[in-house]
Amino acid sequence: MFAFSFLVPQVFSQPVMGFNTWNQYGCNDYTASTLLQVADELVESREQLSGKSLADLGYKYVVVDDCWMAEERGADERLQPDATKFPDGIEAVIEAIHKKGLKFGIYMCVGYATCMGRPGSIYHYELDVQQFSLWGVDYIKSDFCYVGTSGQEHPFSYYKGLSDAIQQYMPHALHAICNWGIGESWKWAPQLRAHSWRTTYDIRPHWSCSNSDNVDSYGKGIQPCLEEIIDTNSRLTAFSGLHKGWNDPDMLVVGVDSGHLIDPELPVLTLEEERSHFAIWCFMEAPLMLATLDTSILQTIGNEQLLAIHQDPLGMQALRRSTKHAHIWFKFLHSSDDSKKRCALLILNRQSTEKLSIGTAQLFHNNSHCLSGLTEVVWGRESRSAVAERVTLQPHQSRIFIMEASASYHCNCL
Ligand code: GLA
Protein backbone atom coordinates (compact mmCIF):
# COMPACT_ATOMS: atom_id res chain seq x y z
CA MET A 1 0.00 0.00 0.00
CA PHE A 2 1.20 3.49 -0.80
CA ALA A 3 0.66 6.30 1.59
CA PHE A 4 -0.25 9.53 -0.17
CA SER A 5 0.07 12.85 1.48
CA PHE A 6 -1.64 15.81 -0.10
CA LEU A 7 -0.67 19.37 0.48
CA VAL A 8 -4.04 21.03 0.74
CA PRO A 9 -3.74 24.67 -0.29
CA GLN A 10 -5.25 27.00 2.27
CA VAL A 11 -8.28 28.93 1.10
CA PHE A 12 -8.27 32.35 2.68
CA SER A 13 -11.24 34.53 3.24
CA GLN A 14 -11.88 37.26 0.71
CA PRO A 15 -10.00 40.51 1.45
CA VAL A 16 -11.12 41.83 4.80
CA MET A 17 -13.43 44.83 5.22
CA GLY A 18 -13.77 46.99 8.29
CA PHE A 19 -12.57 50.04 10.17
CA ASN A 20 -9.15 50.99 11.56
CA THR A 21 -8.42 53.85 13.96
CA TRP A 22 -5.09 55.05 12.54
CA ASN A 23 -5.89 57.27 9.59
CA GLN A 24 -8.45 59.43 11.36
CA TYR A 25 -7.63 59.14 15.08
CA GLY A 26 -3.86 58.59 15.08
CA CYS A 27 -2.26 57.81 18.43
CA ASN A 28 -4.19 59.93 20.87
CA ASP A 29 -7.63 60.81 19.65
CA TYR A 30 -9.58 57.66 20.50
CA THR A 31 -10.69 55.61 23.49
CA ALA A 32 -12.71 52.46 24.12
CA SER A 33 -15.89 54.48 23.55
CA THR A 34 -14.73 55.43 20.07
CA LEU A 35 -14.44 51.73 19.20
CA LEU A 36 -17.84 50.95 20.68
CA GLN A 37 -19.39 53.81 18.78
CA VAL A 38 -17.80 52.61 15.54
CA ALA A 39 -19.26 49.16 16.23
CA ASP A 40 -22.72 50.69 16.78
CA GLU A 41 -22.46 52.66 13.57
CA LEU A 42 -21.35 49.61 11.58
CA VAL A 43 -24.47 47.67 12.53
CA GLU A 44 -26.93 50.58 12.33
CA SER A 45 -29.16 50.48 9.27
CA ARG A 46 -28.68 53.45 6.97
CA GLU A 47 -31.16 55.12 4.74
CA GLN A 48 -28.35 55.96 2.26
CA LEU A 49 -27.64 52.22 1.95
CA SER A 50 -31.27 51.28 1.26
CA GLY A 51 -31.77 50.30 4.87
CA LYS A 52 -28.72 48.07 5.06
CA SER A 53 -25.90 48.50 7.54
CA LEU A 54 -22.21 48.70 6.70
CA ALA A 55 -21.85 45.34 8.47
CA ASP A 56 -24.52 43.87 6.16
CA LEU A 57 -22.33 44.98 3.27
CA GLY A 58 -19.31 43.19 4.77
CA TYR A 59 -17.55 45.83 6.91
CA LYS A 60 -17.18 43.62 9.98
CA TYR A 61 -13.73 44.19 11.49
CA VAL A 62 -13.09 46.90 14.09
CA VAL A 63 -9.33 47.28 14.31
CA VAL A 64 -7.49 49.26 16.96
CA ASP A 65 -4.17 50.54 15.66
CA ASP A 66 -1.11 51.91 17.45
CA CYS A 67 -1.21 53.33 20.99
CA TRP A 68 -3.82 51.03 22.52
CA MET A 69 -1.09 49.71 24.83
CA ALA A 70 0.31 51.15 28.02
CA GLU A 71 3.85 52.58 27.77
CA GLU A 72 5.23 49.56 29.67
CA ARG A 73 4.48 45.85 29.88
CA GLY A 74 2.93 44.61 33.14
CA ALA A 75 4.92 42.93 35.93
CA ASP A 76 4.10 39.57 34.29
CA GLU A 77 5.62 40.86 31.01
CA ARG A 78 2.24 40.90 29.35
CA LEU A 79 1.04 43.74 27.16
CA GLN A 80 -1.59 45.80 28.92
CA PRO A 81 -4.04 48.31 27.55
CA ASP A 82 -3.51 52.04 28.10
CA ALA A 83 -5.62 52.68 31.21
CA THR A 84 -6.74 56.12 30.09
CA LYS A 85 -8.09 54.81 26.80
CA PHE A 86 -9.41 51.53 28.23
CA PRO A 87 -10.45 52.21 31.84
CA ASP A 88 -12.40 48.92 31.97
CA GLY A 89 -9.79 46.86 30.15
CA ILE A 90 -9.88 45.67 26.58
CA GLU A 91 -11.67 42.35 26.99
CA ALA A 92 -15.01 43.98 27.72
CA VAL A 93 -14.71 46.03 24.54
CA ILE A 94 -13.97 42.94 22.47
CA GLU A 95 -16.89 41.12 24.02
CA ALA A 96 -19.27 43.99 23.25
CA ILE A 97 -18.01 44.09 19.66
CA HIS A 98 -18.49 40.34 19.29
CA LYS A 99 -22.02 40.61 20.65
CA LYS A 100 -22.86 42.81 17.70
CA GLY A 101 -21.73 40.09 15.32
CA LEU A 102 -18.51 41.95 14.50
CA LYS A 103 -14.84 40.97 14.74
CA PHE A 104 -11.99 42.63 16.58
CA GLY A 105 -8.49 43.36 15.28
CA ILE A 106 -5.42 44.50 17.19
CA TYR A 107 -2.13 46.17 16.28
CA MET A 108 1.33 45.04 17.37
CA CYS A 109 4.86 45.36 16.10
CA VAL A 110 7.49 42.69 15.42
CA GLY A 111 10.31 45.06 16.45
CA TYR A 112 11.51 46.50 19.79
CA ALA A 113 8.80 49.18 19.85
CA THR A 114 5.70 50.10 17.88
CA CYS A 115 6.02 52.96 15.41
CA MET A 116 4.73 55.31 18.12
CA GLY A 117 7.12 53.94 20.73
CA ARG A 118 4.86 51.56 22.68
CA PRO A 119 6.22 48.10 23.66
CA GLY A 120 7.24 45.98 20.70
CA SER A 121 6.83 42.23 20.63
CA ILE A 122 10.29 41.15 19.48
CA TYR A 123 11.08 38.79 22.39
CA HIS A 124 7.45 38.07 23.20
CA TYR A 125 5.76 36.73 20.09
CA GLU A 126 4.32 33.69 21.87
CA LEU A 127 3.29 35.51 25.01
CA ASP A 128 1.60 38.32 23.10
CA VAL A 129 -0.23 36.03 20.73
CA GLN A 130 -1.43 33.94 23.67
CA GLN A 131 -2.69 37.12 25.29
CA PHE A 132 -4.54 38.17 22.13
CA SER A 133 -6.04 34.72 21.95
CA LEU A 134 -7.24 34.93 25.57
CA TRP A 135 -8.85 38.28 24.86
CA GLY A 136 -10.68 36.84 21.83
CA VAL A 137 -8.88 38.84 19.12
CA ASP A 138 -9.75 37.82 15.53
CA TYR A 139 -7.19 39.74 13.47
CA ILE A 140 -3.60 40.86 14.04
CA LYS A 141 -1.93 43.75 12.21
CA SER A 142 1.85 43.37 12.62
CA ASP A 143 3.98 46.46 12.01
CA PHE A 144 7.72 46.63 11.25
CA CYS A 145 9.17 49.61 13.15
CA TYR A 146 12.31 49.44 15.33
CA VAL A 147 13.55 46.11 14.08
CA GLY A 148 17.13 46.74 15.14
CA THR A 149 20.03 49.00 14.42
CA SER A 150 21.67 47.04 11.63
CA GLY A 151 18.50 46.63 9.60
CA GLN A 152 20.31 43.79 7.85
CA GLU A 153 18.04 40.92 8.77
CA HIS A 154 15.44 39.91 6.27
CA PRO A 155 11.87 40.73 7.44
CA PHE A 156 11.02 37.05 7.02
CA SER A 157 13.09 36.17 10.12
CA TYR A 158 10.88 38.38 12.31
CA TYR A 159 7.61 37.41 10.71
CA LYS A 160 8.38 33.69 10.80
CA GLY A 161 8.55 33.75 14.60
CA LEU A 162 5.31 35.67 14.87
CA SER A 163 3.39 33.61 12.37
CA ASP A 164 4.51 30.35 14.03
CA ALA A 165 2.96 31.65 17.24
CA ILE A 166 -0.22 32.65 15.40
CA GLN A 167 -0.49 29.21 13.77
CA GLN A 168 -0.08 27.60 17.17
CA TYR A 169 -2.33 29.72 19.35
CA MET A 170 -4.72 31.49 16.97
CA PRO A 171 -4.92 29.38 13.81
CA HIS A 172 -8.18 31.01 12.79
CA ALA A 173 -7.05 34.59 13.19
CA LEU A 174 -6.29 36.74 10.16
CA HIS A 175 -2.76 38.11 10.00
CA ALA A 176 -2.16 41.40 8.19
CA ILE A 177 1.56 41.99 7.69
CA CYS A 178 2.47 45.66 7.65
CA ASN A 179 6.10 45.97 6.59
CA TRP A 180 5.50 48.31 3.66
CA GLY A 181 6.67 45.82 1.04
CA ILE A 182 10.26 45.68 2.38
CA GLY A 183 12.02 42.52 1.15
CA GLU A 184 9.21 42.05 -1.41
CA SER A 185 6.71 40.86 1.16
CA TRP A 186 4.40 39.55 -1.59
CA LYS A 187 6.97 36.81 -2.29
CA TRP A 188 7.28 35.38 1.23
CA ALA A 189 4.15 36.46 3.15
CA PRO A 190 1.96 33.79 1.48
CA GLN A 191 4.24 31.08 2.93
CA LEU A 192 3.51 32.50 6.35
CA ARG A 193 -0.23 32.17 5.74
CA ALA A 194 -0.70 35.89 6.05
CA HIS A 195 -4.09 37.22 5.05
CA SER A 196 -2.51 40.30 3.47
CA TRP A 197 0.78 42.16 3.22
CA ARG A 198 1.38 45.85 2.76
CA THR A 199 3.03 46.70 -0.54
CA THR A 200 3.83 50.38 0.05
CA TYR A 201 4.57 52.98 2.71
CA ASP A 202 1.72 54.83 4.38
CA ILE A 203 -1.06 56.35 2.30
CA ARG A 204 -2.13 60.00 2.45
CA PRO A 205 -5.31 61.50 1.00
CA HIS A 206 -3.58 63.15 -1.97
CA TRP A 207 -3.91 61.91 -5.52
CA SER A 208 -0.69 63.32 -6.97
CA CYS A 209 2.61 64.06 -5.28
CA SER A 210 3.94 67.57 -5.63
CA ASN A 211 7.56 66.48 -5.34
CA SER A 212 9.55 63.37 -4.62
CA ASP A 213 10.94 64.24 -1.18
CA ASN A 214 7.72 63.51 0.68
CA VAL A 215 9.32 62.04 3.79
CA ASP A 216 6.75 61.28 6.45
CA SER A 217 6.60 63.09 9.75
CA TYR A 218 8.08 60.12 11.61
CA GLY A 219 11.11 60.09 9.32
CA LYS A 220 10.45 56.40 8.68
CA GLY A 221 10.21 56.49 4.95
CA ILE A 222 8.65 58.04 1.94
CA GLN A 223 4.93 58.63 2.13
CA PRO A 224 3.54 57.97 -1.30
CA CYS A 225 0.53 59.60 -2.89
CA LEU A 226 -2.29 57.54 -4.39
CA GLU A 227 -0.84 57.56 -7.91
CA GLU A 228 2.37 55.95 -6.67
CA ILE A 229 0.59 53.43 -4.49
CA ILE A 230 -1.68 52.41 -7.36
CA ASP A 231 1.31 52.01 -9.69
CA THR A 232 3.22 49.79 -7.27
CA ASN A 233 0.28 47.62 -6.32
CA SER A 234 -0.94 47.20 -9.89
CA ARG A 235 2.32 45.49 -10.83
CA LEU A 236 1.79 42.76 -8.23
CA THR A 237 -1.30 41.07 -9.65
CA ALA A 238 0.41 37.68 -9.93
CA PHE A 239 1.06 37.45 -6.20
CA SER A 240 -2.46 37.68 -4.78
CA GLY A 241 -5.39 35.32 -4.84
CA LEU A 242 -7.64 32.99 -2.90
CA HIS A 243 -4.89 30.46 -2.18
CA LYS A 244 -2.21 33.04 -1.49
CA GLY A 245 -3.53 36.10 0.31
CA TRP A 246 -3.90 39.74 -0.69
CA ASN A 247 -1.72 42.66 -1.70
CA ASP A 248 -2.46 45.53 0.66
CA PRO A 249 -1.91 49.02 -0.79
CA ASP A 250 -2.84 50.44 2.66
CA MET A 251 -6.16 51.52 4.09
CA LEU A 252 -8.84 53.65 2.49
CA VAL A 253 -8.60 57.41 2.89
CA VAL A 254 -12.10 58.08 1.58
CA GLY A 255 -13.52 60.91 3.69
CA VAL A 256 -10.23 61.83 5.37
CA ASP A 257 -10.04 65.59 5.04
CA SER A 258 -8.27 66.61 8.24
CA GLY A 259 -5.78 65.17 10.67
CA HIS A 260 -2.25 63.89 10.82
CA LEU A 261 -2.06 62.47 7.31
CA ILE A 262 -2.71 65.70 5.47
CA ASP A 263 0.05 67.61 3.76
CA PRO A 264 -1.21 71.23 3.86
CA GLU A 265 0.53 71.93 0.57
CA LEU A 266 -1.39 69.32 -1.38
CA PRO A 267 -5.10 69.28 -2.29
CA VAL A 268 -7.15 66.56 -0.57
CA LEU A 269 -9.15 64.15 -2.70
CA THR A 270 -12.05 65.38 -4.83
CA LEU A 271 -15.26 63.33 -4.96
CA GLU A 272 -14.17 61.81 -8.29
CA GLU A 273 -10.78 60.89 -6.83
CA GLU A 274 -12.39 59.30 -3.76
CA ARG A 275 -14.62 57.21 -5.99
CA SER A 276 -11.67 56.20 -8.16
CA HIS A 277 -9.64 55.33 -5.05
CA PHE A 278 -12.43 53.12 -3.71
CA ALA A 279 -13.17 51.48 -7.05
CA ILE A 280 -9.50 50.75 -7.78
CA TRP A 281 -9.10 49.19 -4.31
CA CYS A 282 -12.06 46.94 -5.15
CA PHE A 283 -10.52 45.99 -8.49
CA MET A 284 -7.15 45.32 -6.82
CA GLU A 285 -8.74 42.98 -4.23
CA ALA A 286 -7.31 45.18 -1.50
CA PRO A 287 -8.47 44.94 2.11
CA LEU A 288 -11.04 47.73 2.60
CA MET A 289 -10.34 49.42 5.92
CA LEU A 290 -12.31 52.59 6.55
CA ALA A 291 -10.99 55.64 8.40
CA THR A 292 -14.36 57.26 8.96
CA LEU A 293 -18.02 56.25 8.72
CA ASP A 294 -19.23 59.74 7.92
CA THR A 295 -22.60 59.75 6.16
CA SER A 296 -21.12 61.86 3.35
CA ILE A 297 -19.09 58.87 2.11
CA LEU A 298 -21.72 56.12 2.40
CA GLN A 299 -22.64 56.23 -1.26
CA THR A 300 -19.01 55.68 -2.19
CA ILE A 301 -18.09 52.93 0.28
CA GLY A 302 -21.52 51.32 0.05
CA ASN A 303 -21.55 50.82 -3.73
CA GLU A 304 -22.91 47.27 -3.87
CA GLN A 305 -21.90 46.59 -7.44
CA LEU A 306 -18.30 47.46 -6.62
CA LEU A 307 -18.38 45.44 -3.42
CA ALA A 308 -19.60 42.45 -5.42
CA ILE A 309 -16.64 42.93 -7.77
CA HIS A 310 -14.36 43.09 -4.70
CA GLN A 311 -15.85 40.00 -3.06
CA ASP A 312 -16.14 38.06 -6.32
CA PRO A 313 -15.63 34.31 -5.66
CA LEU A 314 -12.79 34.06 -8.20
CA GLY A 315 -10.76 36.49 -6.10
CA MET A 316 -8.66 37.74 -9.00
CA GLN A 317 -6.84 41.04 -8.74
CA ALA A 318 -7.43 43.10 -11.88
CA LEU A 319 -4.82 43.42 -14.60
CA ARG A 320 -3.91 46.92 -15.71
CA ARG A 321 -3.16 48.30 -19.16
CA SER A 322 -2.09 51.88 -19.63
CA THR A 323 -2.26 54.46 -22.36
CA LYS A 324 -0.89 57.98 -22.18
CA HIS A 325 -4.11 59.39 -20.76
CA ALA A 326 -5.89 56.39 -19.23
CA HIS A 327 -5.34 53.36 -17.06
CA ILE A 328 -7.68 50.45 -17.75
CA TRP A 329 -8.16 47.60 -15.31
CA PHE A 330 -9.74 44.25 -16.27
CA LYS A 331 -11.06 41.84 -13.72
CA PHE A 332 -12.41 38.38 -14.44
CA LEU A 333 -15.61 37.63 -12.56
CA HIS A 334 -17.31 34.44 -11.58
CA SER A 335 -20.20 33.34 -13.78
CA SER A 336 -22.75 30.89 -12.46
CA ASP A 337 -23.71 30.06 -16.04
CA ASP A 338 -20.94 28.13 -17.83
CA SER A 339 -22.03 29.35 -21.22
CA LYS A 340 -21.38 32.97 -20.20
CA LYS A 341 -18.29 34.99 -19.38
CA ARG A 342 -18.28 37.92 -17.03
CA CYS A 343 -15.67 40.55 -16.38
CA ALA A 344 -15.39 44.09 -15.09
CA LEU A 345 -13.55 47.04 -16.55
CA LEU A 346 -12.45 50.27 -14.95
CA ILE A 347 -11.25 53.19 -17.01
CA LEU A 348 -9.43 55.97 -15.16
CA ASN A 349 -8.67 59.35 -16.65
CA ARG A 350 -5.05 59.83 -15.53
CA GLN A 351 -5.02 63.51 -16.40
CA SER A 352 -5.24 66.15 -13.67
CA THR A 353 -6.92 68.93 -15.64
CA GLU A 354 -8.15 67.59 -18.99
CA LYS A 355 -11.34 65.64 -19.71
CA LEU A 356 -11.01 62.37 -21.60
CA SER A 357 -13.42 60.96 -24.16
CA ILE A 358 -13.33 57.25 -25.03
CA GLY A 359 -15.24 55.27 -27.63
CA THR A 360 -16.67 52.24 -25.86
CA ALA A 361 -16.42 50.11 -29.04
CA GLN A 362 -12.64 50.33 -28.94
CA LEU A 363 -12.64 48.52 -25.59
CA PHE A 364 -13.78 45.35 -27.32
CA HIS A 365 -12.24 45.74 -30.75
CA ASN A 366 -15.62 46.81 -32.10
CA ASN A 367 -17.18 43.44 -31.28
CA SER A 368 -20.88 44.30 -31.07
CA HIS A 369 -21.71 41.10 -29.15
CA CYS A 370 -19.46 42.19 -26.32
CA LEU A 371 -20.76 45.73 -26.38
CA SER A 372 -24.37 44.65 -26.12
CA GLY A 373 -23.53 42.82 -22.89
CA LEU A 374 -22.05 45.92 -21.29
CA THR A 375 -23.63 47.74 -18.33
CA GLU A 376 -22.23 50.64 -16.33
CA VAL A 377 -21.77 50.65 -12.56
CA VAL A 378 -23.55 53.69 -11.12
CA TRP A 379 -23.18 55.60 -7.85
CA GLY A 380 -25.94 56.05 -5.29
CA ARG A 381 -29.29 56.75 -6.83
CA GLU A 382 -28.00 57.58 -10.31
CA SER A 383 -30.17 55.87 -12.84
CA ARG A 384 -28.80 53.23 -15.14
CA SER A 385 -28.96 53.89 -18.86
CA ALA A 386 -27.64 52.18 -21.97
CA VAL A 387 -23.90 52.54 -22.37
CA ALA A 388 -23.22 55.38 -24.80
CA GLU A 389 -20.93 55.08 -27.81
CA ARG A 390 -18.54 57.57 -26.25
CA VAL A 391 -18.03 58.20 -22.56
CA THR A 392 -16.45 61.29 -21.06
CA LEU A 393 -14.33 61.23 -17.93
CA GLN A 394 -13.51 64.23 -15.74
CA PRO A 395 -9.92 64.55 -14.43
CA HIS A 396 -9.11 61.49 -12.28
CA GLN A 397 -12.63 60.15 -12.76
CA SER A 398 -13.21 56.42 -13.28
CA ARG A 399 -16.03 54.79 -15.21
CA ILE A 400 -16.73 51.18 -14.45
CA PHE A 401 -18.45 48.56 -16.59
CA ILE A 402 -19.51 44.97 -16.25
CA MET A 403 -19.56 42.81 -19.34
CA GLU A 404 -21.52 39.61 -19.63
CA ALA A 405 -21.60 37.76 -22.91
CA SER A 406 -21.78 34.27 -24.36
CA ALA A 407 -18.46 32.47 -23.85
CA SER A 408 -18.30 31.81 -27.59
CA TYR A 409 -17.93 35.51 -28.42
CA HIS A 410 -14.42 35.74 -26.94
CA CYS A 411 -15.18 38.96 -25.09
CA ASN A 412 -12.26 38.65 -22.74
CA CYS A 413 -12.15 42.15 -21.37
CA LEU A 414 -8.51 42.14 -22.46
C1 GLA B 1 2.94 52.43 10.51
C2 GLA B 1 1.84 51.71 9.71
C3 GLA B 1 0.55 52.50 9.81
C4 GLA B 1 0.16 52.66 11.26
C5 GLA B 1 1.29 53.33 12.03
C6 GLA B 1 1.03 53.36 13.52
O1 GLA B 1 3.29 53.63 9.94
O2 GLA B 1 2.24 51.57 8.38
O3 GLA B 1 -0.48 51.85 9.10
O4 GLA B 1 -0.13 51.41 11.81
O5 GLA B 1 2.52 52.63 11.85
O6 GLA B 1 2.09 53.92 14.22
Side-chain angles (χ1 to χ4, degrees):
M1 286 283 283
F2 293 102
F4 292 102
S5 81
F6 294 101
L7 256 184
V8 181
Q10 178 167 350
V11 177
F12 290 85
S13 67
Q14 302 286 355
V16 84
M17 295 167 62
F19 171 92
N20 174 300
T21 49
W22 180 248
N23 281 345
Q24 187 71 30
Y25 298 105
C27 187
N28 294 320
D29 297 341
Y30 72 90
T31 64
S33 343
T34 319
L35 300 177
L36 293 171
Q37 189 177 337
V38 163
D40 281 344
E41 289 180 20
L42 285 176
V43 296
E44 201 170 82
S45 59
R46 309 292 188 106
E47 193 200 319
Q48 298 89 335
L49 302 175
S50 316
K52 293 191 178 119
S53 69
L54 285 165
D56 293 335
L57 296 181
Y59 294 97
K60 290 215 160 76
Y61 283 77
V62 179
V63 182
V64 67
D65 209 281
D66 207 345
C67 307
W68 65 265
M69 311 159 184
E71 305 271 349
E72 304 287 342
R73 288 176 178 270
D76 55 2
E77 290 292 299
R78 288 176 190 270
L79 289 174
Q80 43 186 359
D82 177 321
T84 323
K85 289 192 176 89
F86 295 92
D88 303 320
I90 205 162
E91 246 180 312
V93 176
I94 299 178
E95 212 181 297
I97 287 175
H98 283 163
K99 278 203 178 124
K100 294 187 186 298
L102 301 172
K103 307 265 189 192
F104 185 81
I106 212 160
Y107 167 98
M108 49 82 71
C109 182
V110 295
Y112 293 90
T114 73
C115 296
M116 296 307 289
R118 305 291 163 115
S121 294
I122 190 156
Y123 299 122
H124 295 95
Y125 295 149
E126 287 213 359
L127 182 69
D128 292 352
V129 170
Q130 282 173 23
Q131 185 63 60
F132 299 152
S133 167
L134 283 174
W135 284 339
V137 169
D138 306 289
Y139 165 110
I140 297 175
K141 168 173 173 177
S142 58
D143 215 340
F144 196 59
C145 276
Y146 301 104
V147 285
T149 43
S150 68
Q152 298 304 312
E153 268 188 83
H154 194 280
F156 185 86
S157 54
Y158 299 89
Y159 282 104
K160 174 82 172 83
L162 173 64
S163 69
D164 284 349
I166 296 176
Q167 292 313 313
Q168 187 170 352
Y169 299 107
M170 301 177 75
H172 302 297
L174 300 187
H175 179 198
I177 291 182
C178 174
N179 85 322
W180 323 301
I182 293 175
E184 302 186 303
S185 46
W186 45 91
K187 292 195 175 154
W188 47 265
Q191 292 166 44
L192 299 180
R193 300 183 156 229
H195 171 75
S196 60
W197 45 86
R198 282 276 297 278
T199 56
T200 67
Y201 284 112
D202 292 5
I203 196 167
R204 297 174 302 159
H206 306 297
W207 190 269
S208 309
C209 304
S210 57
N211 54 42
S212 54
D213 59 346
N214 43 350
V215 175
D216 74 8
S217 47
Y218 313 113
K220 178 173 53 60
I222 303 295
Q223 274 200 289
C225 55
L226 264 90
E227 271 176 349
E228 290 172 333
I229 289 189
I230 292 168
D231 274 349
T232 306
N233 207 68
S234 293
R235 294 193 193 101
L236 301 174
T237 302
F239 298 97
S240 85
L242 278 181
H243 300 283
K244 300 173 188 161
W246 311 104
N247 291 317
D248 178 3
D250 205 358
M251 300 177 278
L252 294 167
V253 283
V254 178
V256 175
D257 55 11
S258 65
H260 64 120
L261 298 176
I262 307 273
D263 177 342
E265 287 178 12
L266 294 175
V268 291
L269 301 180
T270 62
L271 175 66
E272 292 305 352
E273 289 168 344
E274 287 195 333
R275 287 177 170 178
S276 292
H277 164 34
F278 181 73
I280 294 167
W281 261 234
C282 290
F283 270 65
M284 295 196 302
E285 294 284 6
L288 300 180
M289 300 306 283
L290 303 166
T292 151
L293 309 181
D294 199 275
T295 42
S296 63
I297 65 163
L298 292 180
Q299 283 195 342
T300 302
I301 61 167
N303 186 316
E304 290 195 58
Q305 285 178 289
L306 277 170
L307 290 172
I309 291 172
H310 179 252
Q311 296 287 307
D312 183 79
L314 290 186
M316 290 177 77
Q317 180 175 334
L319 294 162
R320 189 177 77 167
R321 216 176 59 193
S322 301
T323 65
K324 189 163 172 228
H325 299 308
H327 286 307
I328 306 176
W329 279 266
F330 306 92
K331 192 173 189 301
F332 295 104
L333 300 178
H334 170 73
S335 169
S336 46
D337 175 351
D338 280 351
S339 68
K340 294 225 167 110
K341 270 195 179 159
R342 292 178 70 239
C343 56
L345 273 116
L346 183 154
I347 308 169
L348 166 76
N349 178 2
R350 298 172 67 174
Q351 307 171 105
S352 304
T353 50
E354 305 295 314
K355 286 186 193 170
L356 179 69
S357 165
I358 289 199
T360 38
Q362 84 192 56
L363 294 170
F364 292 101
H365 310 290
N366 294 310
N367 185 331
S368 58
H369 294 301
C370 313
L371 285 168
S372 61
L374 204 60
T375 50
E376 181 159 7
V377 170
V378 293
W379 296 95
R381 301 206 165 104
E382 280 174 17
S383 58
R384 199 183 303 264
S385 53
V387 176
E389 272 176 32
R390 294 199 77 74
V391 291
T392 304
L393 293 94
Q394 301 300 322
H396 299 160
Q397 186 187 3
S398 295
R399 302 212 35 184
I400 302 135
F401 303 93
I402 293 177
M403 202 277 314
E404 178 171 315
S406 158
S408 59
Y409 292 143
H410 303 293
C411 307
N412 265 341
C413 279
L414 266 178

